[in-house]
Every structure is written in structure tokens, then in C-alpha cells.
Amino acid sequence: MKKIKVLAIVGLCVACFLSFTSNTIADTGVNKKVILVGGSLDLTGPAAFMGQGVKRGINLYFNKVNAEGGIHGRKLKYIAEDDGYVVAKTVSNYKKLTLKSRVFCLLGSTGSVGPKALKPYLEEDKIPLVGPYGYTSAMFRPFHTYLFNIYATCEDQAKIFVDYLKTELKLENPVIGLLAEDNEIGQDTIRGAEAQVKKVGWQAPVVELYKRSAIDFSSQVLRLKAKNVDALFFPVISSHSAQILKECQKANFQPLLFATATATDLRFLKMAGDSAYFGKGLRSFATQINHRDNSSGAEEFRAAIAKYDPSNKDPNSFNLFGYGIAKILCEGLQQAGADLTREKLISALEKMDGYETGIFAPMTYGPNNRQGTDSVRILRADHNKKDFVIETGWLHPE
Amino acid sequence: MRTFSVKIGSRRITLSDRMIQENDYRKWWIIPVVAGVYLLPLFLNEYSIYLMNMLAATIIGAVALDILCGFCGQLSLGHAAFIGIGAYSYGICHMTLAINPIFSLFIAGFTGAFVSLLIGIPSLRLKGLYLAIATMGFTFITDEAVRFLRAWTNGVEGFKISRIIDIGFVQLNSGDAGFYYFIYTLVIVAVIFSRLLLESKIGRAFTSIRDSDVAAEVSGINILLYKVLCFAISSFFASLSGALMGIIIGMISPEDINIMQSINYLIMLVIGGMGVVYGAVIGAVLITFLPEWISMLSNSFLPMTVDLSILQYLIFGLLILFFIVFEPNGVYGRWTVVKGYFKTFPFNERKVGRIAWIYRWR
Amino acid sequence: MKILQVTDLFMSFRGLVALNGIGFSVEKGEIFGLIGTNGSGKSTFFNCVNHLYQPQRGKITYKGKHDLLSKRSHQIAKMGIARTFQNLELFHYTRVLENIMVGLHPRLDMRRYLRKFTLKALMSEWEADKNEAFKILNFLGITRFHSRLVTDLPYGLQKLIELGRALAAQPDLLLLDEPSAGMNESESKEVARLIKSIRDDFGCTILLVEHDMNLVQSICDRLCVLDSGEIVTIGRPDEIVKDPKVIRIFLGEESDA
Amino acid sequence: MIIDGLINGIALGCIYALVALGFVLIYKATHVINFAQGEIMMFCSYICYAGSTTFHFNFILSFFFAVIAGFLLGALLERLFIRPLIGYPILPVVIATIGIAMVLQSVAALIWTFEPQKLDPFSGSPYQLWKVSISPVHLWTIIITFILIFLFSLFFRHSLVGIKLRAIAEDLIGSMASGIPVRRMYNFTWGLAGAIGAVAGILVAPVIFIHPHMGSIGLRALPAAVLGSFGSIPGAVVGGIVLGVSETIAGLYLPKEIKDVFPWLLLFLVLLIRPEGIFYTYEQKKV
């Protein structure tokens, strides 16, 4: 009897051991043929469509590079682990990627808290993480050697928002409203807007927050309306943006509306329906190009989709984002030379100055700069074309 | 049908007819298992040690939920909240107030137990599933409270917790084997404690409330008191597990406090076997390693296009249903049935089939 | 000495009157039987004594000083009132021995354990508790089933186990709700003898609800006949059976003629 | 502002009421809280979406398609996973519903991906009534909910099946003895809850869009059910509307942190003050 019990326990231990066995690839994740790149993305959970989209975009670009001969003869392989928007799992995934799969570097990440939790680990293991998907300044402030940020942060966007109201739209002391999710992105936005408003000498912004589980924005919108807000900025995910627009329409609330990069898809316009063109119209801060327009980057992306991922009939901005960050990483890897190490990748990325991805604003890193870019451009929802049209070029915060 | 005769006045007969089937409380197989647990880090690489440490914290959490769900029959969906509370209170005690880490661990546990009183007393007054609803609501409220108490918890930005604990004579880094020994000692203490609890008067009160609350009440058991006590003990261990998890990860953020985490622990109980301490342990082990096994299998059998993460979620859901419908006693229950089959091998009284839900094994 | 004094107990469920102002008293050491047709309020009365139900009016006094209706059920159990149920209320998924040990609950003092420091002493204390339970099992003659699951056992045994759980508390007042329900004649006789020996060996007062007139007649010292929530008569069994009112209730109007 | 808030609150409350009605139906019959109610809702709105996009039905047709699918889905789930558990304690059955929720969620994600989808049959600009503007979605939500509740009360009061269901809720053993097919009735109850879930899902879809996680709105309706004493059908309706209105009003006048946890705070308030809820009826376990 005891034998069976012992046997079962031994069997369990063997099974555990099997799961511990690591790959045979070298510690650094690079050999003659392959470069392993990993990422912890939210492939399930409340914002899963972002992680799924980014993963698809990255794989698209990697497939393209591999088909064109790879980087210095090495093929790229992307390993995505799911964290379901939970920090604990992000760290577990990091451990798995670095200690078991032995990746060379990390590409893409969930939200902004995840990479923050990884910071000490990245520092310890000296592993660079390129392109965290989050718009917060906490990514590179305080300076962190191993986090290569891509986006203009929400803080920058809020500053550009105030600048744009002042310089382009020539508003005088308007009431500025912010409607954000109560997370790091929301806090970053508030910080940026308050700083910039103080600088130009306008009154403090009206702030409304909600939680991710929210299903109803009516009271926030009504409160903003009651405060006579002239210009409203809502850096939130696309479905929430659409809901907010609908609420504004319902409440007959007509401020200048500013959404963020998540609200630049055609799908978003479809979701919002009429409400996107209601009142003074909707503008969006785009951190990347629109993949439907006729710039060279968009054409390249469309060609890649047609060739390497033809099943993707309706590419979205997250695909494009993944494509873009993969492109930046590949540029870095290319520049780092045939004898690839992590230090060389980091110094190659640091040398990047105004690199034109065709997707983001020109990318610039330096020994003390990990932001990449702080520019956004403004798109306007056009009623006749039923699409966004470009309103400005790349804008910097002042 | 009765096949026995009642003996009247047999009180004066000595206990000579006490049956041979005296339970064997001395379980010698425990010793090789414990020895194995302590020897394991010698053979493991860094990732495996990390995984085993996470597993240890998970085991404590699963045992905590087992005390509440398995022993007392009260469903809680707020386990993640207590884990979060544990991590935050450990972090605040150790990092902000600079209290000795061992004390901080205890304070974290007691904070959880104290908070559980606040929820338990109103929601356990009623029979039924009110605790499940209340704890679910409590998860959302905790999430919001963490954001609201920005000054203490650092709000949405997440709270950094030191991954090193200094217990006087030695410093333990949560990635090291040293921490492994520390945390597995805690696991063994927790398992032994809950085993003893189950054998004691209090544990019997818990199980009797689970099986028939009316009978428990007329037997002199204060139902509310014991339910609340059970919830407090469970929350103590849950918070302890949360504090340990915080140490291992090095960070806690409000995003970690969500219902899915709580449900994960429930899955462990269902798969391992509810109402049995070893069942909770087995469930924790299986659920921690299952993703690894799934990905291993899929690497060899499935094409790359299948999205593993959703598949894994689906498999978890199906596992719950499979176990509840076909083997409600979990892996441990099935194991005892198989054991019983072999014990009485040629003389099986009846077919080994579905037996009672929540069946306590010795 | 009156161990239980009931005065003017009234209870109704949404207008359905279950107990209509009943009042009687039970002497210490007697076996007091409650009989009546279905729905005459016998079980309801038991549930009021345990305070599982809250009657609208009336008073139940225990040992002359405790007002049971101001106590909670578990406090009542601790004061020495144990009971069995008409439809079994056992802990089905635990073993027989543990079922009995739950009955010991009010008598066990955890502080006793805390005073012991060596493991051996703890174990011996624990053994002592178990021996208490074994004594009960021995008395009932069901020791050999001690490690079986309750669900695996036949109905008659389950009834005995429930009785054992009630006895384990060493009650002063034992409430038995239809102890011979579902038993044949010879089994009923066994039960009758068992109840008598419980009274003699444990020295407790027994309050009994029963349908079986023969059983009640043979063991009860006094009887109370209930009909639709009202007391018909109280008295010695041999007087009761001759009472025409009782005969009418139990045998119908025709027999009167 | 307060009138706008009230109307928003009533519309929100109607959705809560419909979801809570699904909870209460199943609770009344089987004493189980069905944690998969929100997921059934999500799945049915996906079916409606598929009806209008993949099969190109018009909206009315796909609405009924989804309601029938909801009925069948509920009945099927009961048959597959809940019927084998008849006679079990409540806890495993509740855990089984959690398992069902996970399966439905991941199946929806596998079929339709995580991308939020649009299902907006009531599009159009808001109507102006006096000085109040009300969006078509809200108007239809309120109208459909009240029609549904009216039909329900008729059903339970006058139809034979409704009376049987009430009998089962009242006394299981008694209704078994009088020849009511309890298992079939359980199946029917689950189907009914599924159909209500479908209606709720389609009504909420234009507001929060369809995505595999929209089932979480189901959880937010639980306080409504508690508020109206779990197990009472008028209680669920009143509880839902009270919850919706008070949540919106709280959002307007209380500090901004409160609004999204308001249902839960209200739940604790109810548990503290009157744990039985508003529509409590005396119920005693027979021993």
C-alpha cells in the first residue's frame, strides 16, 4: 500500500522535475541561428485584445525579417507568456522567460505596473526591455538603463493638449476636463495637465475618475457638464472612449473632445457611431501613424500583412504597435553587429538618433534618454470620410 | 435493515470490543516527504527554486481557503483581497515602519484576521451564500481602498516590497535556497496546524456546521462564533501567504486584487480535494505546474497558431466541471478510493464508485 | 422539582396555528411522553424548546430559573438539553466516532489542552476524550461501527448514532423526537428498553414524542395528548388510554358510539 | 442634472433588475447562485451579434434567435453540468457554475476573439422629452424590461408551468409527491434564466459593447438581488432599480471614488442593517 503512495509521490516529483528542465540554448538567448525574444503580455484578462494584437504585430514583423534572411543570419523567435494583467504573473513570466526559455531580451509588456515590477530584476540580470506598452512617465523616470520606452507619455499628451488649446485653438482660460481611469495612466495625465495649466496660468482642470469595472459613465459626464467644461481629454481604452462619446451626445454636452491613441481605429469610429461627430467633433492624439493612410510606413505594414499574415483581415493599431516596436528592436539588433551581446544591443539602441520607423515619430535614445519620442500628432474624426484625417504634424510638449 | 443486536446495560462491559480498525495516526511516509522537500533545492536551478517558492506561498493560500471552504463549508470569493491585504500590511510594516520582518509577517496575518471579522460578522449571520457575495464585494472595495489610501499604499503605482528578509542571524533573498527552507518550514507548520485543527474540538465544530447547521446548533456549537473564527483563521493564513508572495515578487499593486485570483484557489481545492489538507496541497501543486505541462505538451503536439493562454483558461474551466461532476472529492479522493480498492483487493464489498462529497480521510 | 415548565405557549406559521397556548410541567427524572396525530404540534414544541423556532407568546422555564426563549440554541444545549430529530440531522460525511464527539462539544475545555506541554500528555488527553465517546458507543452497542461513514450505515443505526450524540453531552433533559419511527415491533421494544436504561444509567429526564401508543404506554410515567396545537389531557398512561376524548382523537368518532 | 441622472439610473437599474431576475429564478428553484449568469448574458449577446453579422438576420430576428439560443444554452448547461449534481450540497454546485463561467468566457474568446464588438440596434440621436433627453437605448431598455416583468408576473400567476415552479420553490418534496416533474422544471428554470440573460445582454450590449469580459456586469447585479432578498422576484426588480438609481445619484453627488464601488458599499450596508433584504419572507428549515 505504502509502495503505491511512494510511487505516486515519486511520479509527481519526476513530473515536477520534467517541468524544470531547461532548454539547451545558451544563457544569453543567442546562438548562431536564433535570437530568442520574450515578452509577458496580457493575452487573457480585461484588456486581452491589446496583448493579443501586440503579439500578432510582433510576430508579423519577425516573420518578415526571418523571410528576408534574418538579422546577421540569425532568425528571430518571439515567445509570449500570458499574465492576465496580474503583476505576480508578470514576474513569474519574467523568471520563466529569462531562466527557462533563456531569452536574449524582452519586447513588449503589459500595462505599466508590470514593467515597474520588473525594473529591479532587469537591473540585476542586465536584460533590456524594449517597447513597454504604457504611456506613463514612470517607465523612464527615474532613469532606468534597461527600459526602452516608445511612446509619448500621457503626461506629454496632456501638456500637448493644453498647448494645442492655447496656440492652435486660441482659447482663453478654458475649463479643462479630464476623465480617466483610476490607474497610473490617469494619474500621469492629471500630473501633466496640472503642471502645464499652471505654466500657462489657466484654472485647474476638472478631474473625474472611474474604475476599470465601470459600466456607466453618465454621472461623470453630467458632473463635467455641470462644471461647463470647454475641452475634455479622456486617455482611456477604446470601448470606454466610445461610451464616453455616447454619453456626451446623450447629455447634449459639447466640449472640444480629445481622445488618445487607442481611439484612432476605424473600429472605434464604428463603435462610437454618430457620437464621434457630435458637437465640436472628436480629435485624437495619435502616437503612431494610421495604417490606412498612404504614408510609406503604412504601405509597408499593409504589404507585410498581405504577405505574412493574410488571415488578418482587419488589422488594428495594436498590430501596428507590435510591428513598430519589433522594427525598432530589429534596427538595434542590426546595428549591434554580428557578435551580439546585450551590452552591444543597449549601446546600439543608445546611438539611435531620429530613427524613422515610418510608424512612430522619429526615435531618439541616448545615454541619458530612454523616452524614444515625446511627440504625438492630432487626428480629427471626419464626418464625410467616416475616418480620421491628419490635423497636425508631430507636436512636442513645450 | 438492521443486522446487529442492541446490548442493553453494556456500559459495564470493558472496552475490549473496541475494534481492530484503530486509525493509524502515525504516518511514517511524512518523513521521507519532508526530507525530500528539504533536499530538493540541491537539485534545482534558479527558476525552479523561484517556482517552488511561489508554490509554497500558494500552498499556504490554498490551505487557508480549505479551512474556510472545505472544513466549514463557507464559500469565499475574496481570497485575493486577503492576499493583497497581507502583502500590503507586510509591506507597510516592514518597509515604511521598519518593523522586524518576522513580526511584520505576523502583523500581516493578524491584519487579515481582523479585517475578516469586519466582513464576517455581518455576512455570516445569515445562512446561505452571503459570505461569497460579501467577500466578492470586499475584493472590489479593497481594490478601491488601496487606490484611495495613496499616502500609505502608493496607490496605483504599486508598492515595492523588499525581496530580502533579515531574520537576525541570516539574510534571506527570496530567490535563494535559504528562503526556500524558511518558507517550506512555514508551509509544514501551516499544514500540521490545520491537520491538528481538524482533529480538535474547533475543527469538529467547523465540519459539523458544514454538514448540518441545525444539528450543530443543538449540540451546543455557537454557529456564528465558529463561522467567524473559521473565517478569521483562514484569513490569517491567506494574509500570511500574501505577505510571502509579496516578498517573492517584490511588488504588490491593486491590479493583483481580482476575483480571478480567488477563483484560481477554488480550482485548486476542487481539483485537489476539498475538506482535506493534503487535497489543498496537491491542488496547489497541480495548478502551479499545470501551465508548464500544458505548454510542454502543446510544444510537442499542437501547432503554434493555437492560442495557449485562452486554451489554458478553457482547460481550467473544464477541469472544474470535470472534477465536480465526476470526482467531487478531487485527486486525493480518487486516491483513497483506489487505495481502498487495493486494500481489500479480492474481497471488495461493492464497486468502487462515487462516494460522498467532502469525505474526510485519515 | 420541576425541570421544565411551559406556560401559555403560542406559535403560528403565517396564520396556521401550531401551538395554541399549551402549558404543562415536567418533573425531574420522569419520562414524559407527548403524543398526538400528525400536525398536532409536537415537533414544533420541541423546536421551541431548542429555540430553533421563535414562538409568538409564552414562556418555557428550565430548572425553575432559566428562561429558554431568551437564550440561543447553543446556549440551551450547554445548559444540558440535548435532542434527536425526527428526520435525521447527522453529519453525514464524517465518521461515527466524530459524530459522537461533536456531542461532547459543550463538555470539552480547550484550556485543558493548552495547559499540557508535552506531546505525549496532549495525546493522552485526546485519547481520554475519545474514550468518553467510546463509552457512549459501547453503551449503545455500536462500537464496531466507530470508523464507518454515517452515510454507509442503515437507518436504524443512524438513529442510534443520533441518540449517542445527544447522550454524549450528558444531558439533564433529553428530547427524543420519534425514536421508534420506521422500526418494526421487536425493534421498538429494544428502543423502549434502551430509553428506560438511559433514564436509569444517565439519570436524565426524558421528553418523548411518539406515535406508537404501545411504546409510550410501556415506558412513560406521564403523557400529554396534543391535538391541533391544544392539550387534550395530561395524565398517567393507563388513565389516558381510557379517556374518551383521547380515544376519539386516535380512533375516530365512530368508536365512540 | 438630477432628472438626467434619474433616467440613467432607472435604465441602469433595469439592466441590473434583469440580471438579478436571472439569479433569483435559479436561486428560488435550486438554492444555488449561478455565477455564470453574466457569462450566459455575454454569450447570448455574441449570438445576437453573430445573427446580425454572420447570418445577416435583421435585428428582430436575431433578437429572438438569441433569446431562444439563451433558453437552449441555459437548459443545456443544466442538463450537462447541474443535473448530475442534484442532491449534492450547494457549495460544489456553485463552484460548478464558476467553472461554466470560465468555459463560456474562453469559448467566446476562441470564437470571437477579445476585440470589443458593436451591437447597436437602437442607434440614433437621443429623444427630447420636455427638457430631458433620453437615448433610444435607455428608452428601449426601460420599455422592454417593464414588458418582460409584466409578462413574468402573468406567467407566474396564471400559467400552469409558473404555478408548478412556485410550488417547487415552496416545497420540493411536496411538489415531487404531487407529480410535478421537478427535473424538467429545473431544466426549464435554467432555460428561462438563460433567456432573460439573453435579453439583458442584448440591452446592455449597446452601452458597454460585447467582449468576453462583459459578464462581470453580472456580478454587479448581485447586490441588487441581495437588496431585494434573494429569492423574491419583485424584490429583484425593485432591488435592481433602487441600486441603479442610487448608484447614479451617488455618482453625481458623492466623492468620485465612491461610484464604482457603490453597489458593494450598499451591499454591506444592507447586510449590516437588514440582512434579509427588503422583500424578506419568513422561511424556516423543517427539522
Side-chain angles (χ1 to χ4, degrees), chain A residues 49-323:
Chain A
F49 61 97
M50 294 188 192
Q52 298 276 4
V54 172
K55 181 186 165 194
R56 198 165 188 173
I58 290 172
N59 275 328
L60 171 66
Y61 191 77
F62 278 13
N63 287 341
K64 185 184 160 193
V65 169
N66 290 343
E68 288 166 359
I71 289 174
H72 296 297
R74 297 187 179 102
K75 299 274 191 271
L76 290 163
K77 188 167 178 245
Y78 188 63
I79 303 168
E81 297 285 346
D82 171 39
D83 59 25
Y85 219 86
V86 173
V87 175
K89 279 181 95 178
T90 308
V91 175
S92 289
N93 288 342
Y94 170 81
K95 288 277 183 185
K96 192 173 176 185
L97 289 168
T98 54
L99 297 172
K100 192 175 165 208
S101 310
R102 301 280 178 193
V103 297
F104 175 70
C105 65
L106 297 173
L107 181 62
S109 77
T110 301
S112 52
V113 185
K116 259 187 85 174
L118 291 186
K119 270 182 178 180
Y121 291 95
L122 296 171
E123 194 107 44
E124 259 170 48
D125 303 341
K126 301 193 167 42
I127 294 177
L129 163 58
V130 178
Y133 186 82
Y135 310 88
T136 62
S137 54
M139 293 288 161
F140 50 86
R141 217 175 283 152
F143 177 78
H144 192 273
T145 320
Y146 300 95
L147 265 178
F148 288 86
N149 204 42
I150 303 285
Y151 269 171
T153 62
C154 273
E155 195 177 339
D156 295 328
Q157 293 188 26
K159 284 177 178 168
I160 293 169
F161 164 63
V162 175
D163 291 344
Y164 183 77
L165 293 180
K166 188 176 165 69
T167 54
E168 299 284 324
L169 301 178
K170 309 263 188 275
L171 296 184
E172 271 313 312
N173 198 9
V175 183
I176 291 174
L178 301 174
L179 176 48
E181 195 182 319
D182 189 9
N183 58 13
E184 208 166 330
I185 289 173
Q187 300 298 337
D188 223 36
T189 312
I190 296 167
R191 207 179 306 138
E194 279 174 351
Q196 197 71 359
V197 158
K198 202 177 267 174
K199 209 162 139 192
V200 297
W202 291 349
Q203 54 182 303
V206 180
V207 178
E208 287 293 331
L209 294 173
Y210 70 89
K211 284 191 52 168
R212 182 165 290 253
S213 61
I215 51 169
D216 172 56
F217 297 89
S218 61
S219 51
Q220 281 94 339
V221 168
L222 285 175
R223 271 161 78 138
L224 287 168
K225 189 188 176 189
K227 297 247 171 70
N228 292 318
V229 167
D230 297 317
L232 179 64
F233 179 38
F234 42 101
V236 297
I237 65 170
S238 57
S239 56
H240 290 170
S241 299
Q243 272 176 272
I244 291 168
L245 288 178
K246 285 186 172 180
E247 285 297 336
C248 290
Q249 187 189 19
K250 194 174 74 193
N252 196 20
F253 172 47
Q254 305 188 351
L256 292 157
L257 292 165
F258 289 84
T260 190
T262 51
T264 52
D265 268 352
L266 262 187
R267 182 187 291 272
F268 165 77
L269 281 183
K270 246 187 240 162
M271 288 201 304
D274 295 345
S275 58
Y277 316 109
F278 175 73
K280 294 174 185 147
L282 169 74
R283 290 174 177 82
S284 286
F285 292 101
T287 45
Q288 59 193 33
I289 58 156
N290 186 340
H291 61 82
R292 297 175 301 281
D293 66 16
N294 45 18
S295 66
S296 63
E299 268 162 19
E300 182 196 322
F301 176 68
R302 286 198 296 266
I305 286 268
K307 197 164 173 196
Y308 301 105
D309 191 5
S311 63
N312 191 356
K313 293 278 179 275
D314 187 14
N316 58 29
S317 60
F318 303 109
N319 297 151
L320 185 62
F321 174 78
Y323 186 86

Side-chain angles (χ1 to χ4, degrees), chain A residues 52 87 121 124 182 211, chain B residues 48 144 147 163 249 256 307:
Chain A
Q52 298 276 4
V87 175
Y121 291 95
E124 259 170 48
D182 189 9
K211 284 191 52 168
Chain B
S48 311
E144 186 60 41
R147 289 160 203 264
R163 282 190 291 136
I249 294 161
D256 290 349
D307 197 323

Side-chain angles (χ1 to χ4, degrees), chain B residues 40-281:
Chain B
L40 203 57
L42 299 179
F43 310 105
L44 295 180
N45 59 21
E46 203 185 334
Y47 173 60
S48 311
I49 286 186
Y50 170 81
L51 211 60
M52 290 300 283
N53 286 351
M54 275 305 274
L55 172 65
T58 315
I59 287 176
I60 296 179
V63 167
L65 192 63
D66 198 22
I67 290 173
L68 185 63
C69 285
F71 295 4
C72 203
Q74 304 296 313
L75 183 60
S76 161
L77 294 175
H79 210 58
F82 287 102
I83 286 173
I85 285 176
Y88 269 108
S89 46
Y90 173 80
I92 289 169
C93 286
H94 182 49
M95 307 295 289
T96 315
L97 307 175
I99 298 174
N100 177 324
I102 301 290
F103 279 129
S104 304
L105 278 179
F106 275 97
I107 294 172
F110 282 115
T111 315
F114 175 73
V115 173
S116 78
L117 297 184
L118 299 183
I119 317 156
I121 290 170
S123 54
L124 286 172
R125 280 191 294 175
L126 295 179
K127 289 166 191 173
L129 291 161
Y130 285 88
L131 186 71
I133 304 172
T135 45
M136 195 169 70
F138 179 66
T139 312
F140 294 108
I141 292 177
T142 313
D143 185 351
E144 186 60 41
V146 167
R147 289 160 203 264
F148 186 72
L149 299 171
R150 202 160 288 143
W152 284 94
T153 62
N154 212 5
V156 292
E157 315 212 331
F159 194 93
K160 258 206 188 105
I161 297 169
S162 159
R163 282 190 291 136
I164 294 168
I165 66 172
D166 190 349
I167 48 172
F169 54 97
V170 66
Q171 275 199 344
L172 302 172
N173 189 319
S174 71
D176 290 348
F179 189 75
Y180 176 97
Y181 293 122
F182 171 71
I183 196 167
Y184 271 91
T185 311
L186 283 182
V187 168
I188 288 166
V189 168
V191 169
I192 290 176
F193 173 83
S194 46
R195 285 288 292 146
L196 288 181
L197 182 75
L198 194 55
E199 301 293 343
S200 75
K201 171 187 169 179
I202 299 175
R204 273 199 304 277
F206 292 164
T207 47
S208 60
I209 291 171
R210 175 192 73 199
D211 289 347
S212 165
D213 45 5
V214 178
E217 206 164 5
V218 300
S219 304
I221 292 166
N222 186 345
I223 293 191
L224 177 64
L225 177 76
Y226 277 96
K227 275 188 195 167
V228 170
L229 181 68
C230 185
F231 193 28
I233 293 175
S234 163
S235 306
F236 178 87
F237 279 109
S239 305
L240 188 67
S241 133
L244 292 170
M245 220 167 261
I247 297 170
I248 296 168
I249 294 161
M251 177 115 176
I252 176 81
S253 81
E255 253 100 23
D256 290 349
I257 303 172
N258 64 20
I259 300 266
M260 261 322 292
Q261 293 286 89
S262 315
I263 290 176
N264 237 0
Y265 282 96
L266 263 186
I267 301 173
M268 289 173 202
L269 289 198
V270 170
I271 290 179
M274 229 183 223
V276 206
V277 181
Y278 301 132
V281 176

